[in-house]
Amino acid sequence: TEKKPKKVFIDGPISPDFVAKSIASHSTKKDIGAHSIFLGQVRNDMIDGKPVAAIEYTTYPEMADLKFHEIREAAFEAYPLTCLHIYHSLGTVLAGEISLFVFTSAIHRAEAIKACEYIVERIKHEIPVWGKEILEDGSGSWKVNQSKTSDTRLADARPFSKMPDARLADARLFTEMPDARLADARRI
């Protein structure tokens, strides 16, 4: 039976209440021994001496939904997870607010933690979501990811037997797609 992609995108920030309700809803699942949670928060980085007030996220929904589904299914194949949830913001998210919520559950903590890191690394490297940094003065520019995480760390998090490098290369092909949003992002 083919599994359907789950709803990932949320308009605006992911609220602390949403995160708390997600955690609370798992208390009835008695076979879970551990949860691992990653919350990505918008930073107020300085760009040319001006603080970032928000990030405006945009995507190709159909492409992103398929890629999120692929990552989700690969995580279930690679790790003995009981549960897995991924949520990402679209639209404007202010500095200090949550834009990414990854929640993994397993019988043991090591599997939940490793799976969570694997998912976050794949999202960072593969998902076609772009962020326009909006500065406090109202100006903005497309965000350039300067991940402190190297491809080596992604390789360490990725179970090689489950995901050949060719799939990662294929996932990066979306950058060749012509689109005004992408063209603007390439100029930065």
Side-chain angles (χ1 to χ4, degrees), residues 48-125:
D48 298 328
K50 300 173 191 172
V52 172
I55 295 180
E56 189 177 296
Y57 291 99
T58 187
T59 190
Y60 287 114
E62 297 81 11
M63 183 183 291
D65 286 342
L66 288 173
K67 184 52 74 175
F68 272 118
H69 180 70
E70 178 185 310
I71 291 169
R72 177 184 166 76
E73 293 307 306
F76 272 116
E77 284 180 33
Y79 300 95
L81 296 174
T82 308
C83 227
L84 161 57
H85 303 278
I86 304 169
Y87 299 98
H88 198 296
S89 295
L90 286 181
T92 303
V93 180
L94 300 176
E97 294 180 324
I98 304 299
S99 61
L100 176 61
F101 173 31
V102 177
F103 182 18
T104 57
S105 305
I107 294 172
H108 302 288
R109 74 179 178 279
E111 289 83 9
I113 292 168
K114 287 176 188 173
C116 191
E117 181 177 17
Y118 164 79
I119 292 161
V120 170
E121 292 302 323
R122 287 205 50 196
I123 288 169
K124 185 80 170 173
H125 287 48

Side-chain angles (χ1 to χ4, degrees), residues 103-173:
F103 182 18
T104 57
S105 305
I107 294 172
H108 302 288
R109 74 179 178 279
E111 289 83 9
I113 292 168
K114 287 176 188 173
C116 191
E117 181 177 17
Y118 164 79
I119 292 161
V120 170
E121 292 302 323
R122 287 205 50 196
I123 288 169
K124 185 80 170 173
H125 287 48
E126 298 177 39
I127 298 295
V129 172
W130 298 275
K132 187 174 188 178
E133 293 174 309
I134 309 299
L135 305 180
E136 282 187 359
D137 69 0
S139 64
S141 62
W142 291 103
K143 182 170 177 49
V144 177
N145 273 336
Q146 296 182 10
S147 176
K148 303 276 190 241
T149 305
S150 68
D151 286 337
T152 304
R153 186 157 168 211
L154 176 60
D156 291 344
R158 179 178 65 235
F160 288 108
S161 62
K162 301 293 182 184
M163 193 179 98
D165 288 337
R167 285 178 59 195
L168 273 179
D170 291 345
R172 293 192 178 114
L173 290 178

